[in-house]
Amino acid sequence: MMRLTNDQHFPTITALRVGGGEMMLPQSTTGKWAVLLFYRGHWCPYCRQQLMDFERALEQFHDIGAEVIALSVDPLEKAQETVTKHHLTFPVLYGLDAHDIAQKIGASLNEDPLYLQATGFVLRPDGTIAVSVYSSGAIGRLAAADTINFIKYMQH
């Protein structure tokens, strides 16, 4: 299975955003550090915990010039429910094609039901990968405090 590696340019992904519009990554984050959190879905307690962890630390991410973006295969209704229930204020993208994204980024795929396993990336302002974290199951993912400290380290 193909996996993206450090210093590789992140592939272009365009997805719809909860609240309207769409984002094209990594182009939408050019000039900023970006944290991309591909989460399994609204139903996953580990994903909800991760998303809430990043929401609580969002001001710290903004202080270091970083943007947090979450992405999933969830349909609009479920992604909106996740945003509303957990008061998420960072962009949440939805409706990803699981097979297409798995092929582009190397995420592990669950076939039945169809979803992407948790995968996280920290992108430099030029859209290259500073670090990637691949999970093949429920656990093993980026944590907000570690990610903030990693970005601070890379900036200096």
Side-chain angles (χ1 to χ4, degrees):
M1 174 190 266
M2 178 278 306
R3 296 277 162 107
L4 298 177
T5 58
N6 293 356
D7 301 321
Q8 191 173 353
H9 200 272
F10 191 80
T12 299
I13 294 174
T14 302
L16 297 171
R17 180 179 176 168
V18 172
E22 65 179 23
M23 288 185 82
M24 181 184 292
L25 300 171
Q27 293 82 343
S28 295
T29 62
T30 299
K32 296 181 244 178
W33 286 82
V35 181
L36 307 182
L37 305 172
F38 290 84
Y39 68 100
R40 294 163 24 129
H42 69 283
W43 52 270
C44 174
Y46 300 100
C47 298
R48 291 192 303 265
Q49 182 179 349
Q50 181 190 37
L51 296 174
M52 290 186 300
D53 181 39
F54 276 81
E55 180 62 37
R56 283 188 296 272
L58 195 57
E59 189 173 318
Q60 294 173 69
F61 280 101
H62 291 160
D63 288 347
I64 60 172
E67 186 169 353
V68 175
I69 301 163
L71 309 92
S72 80
V73 301
D74 277 350
L76 173 58
E77 308 76 50
K78 295 299 182 183
Q80 179 66 63
E81 183 180 314
T82 298
V83 168
T84 302
K85 185 174 182 180
H86 303 295
H87 311 287
L88 302 179
T89 58
F90 52 80
V92 174
L93 310 184
Y94 66 92
L96 298 178
D97 177 316
H99 290 101
D100 177 57
I101 298 300
Q103 191 169 28
K104 281 184 176 180
I105 69 170
S108 295
L109 194 63
N110 190 82
E111 286 290 349
D112 189 22
L114 184 62
Y115 61 83
L116 297 165
Q117 294 289 359
T119 309
F121 297 93
V122 176
L123 304 183
R124 293 181 189 91
D126 66 359
T128 59
I129 298 167
V131 74
S132 57
V133 176
Y134 288 93
S135 177
S136 59
I139 61 172
R141 56 187 73 221
L142 291 172
D146 291 342
T147 305
I148 290 165
N149 288 331
F150 175 76
I151 293 171
K152 285 180 177 178
Y153 172 79
M154 294 298 290
Q155 290 174 334
H156 295 98

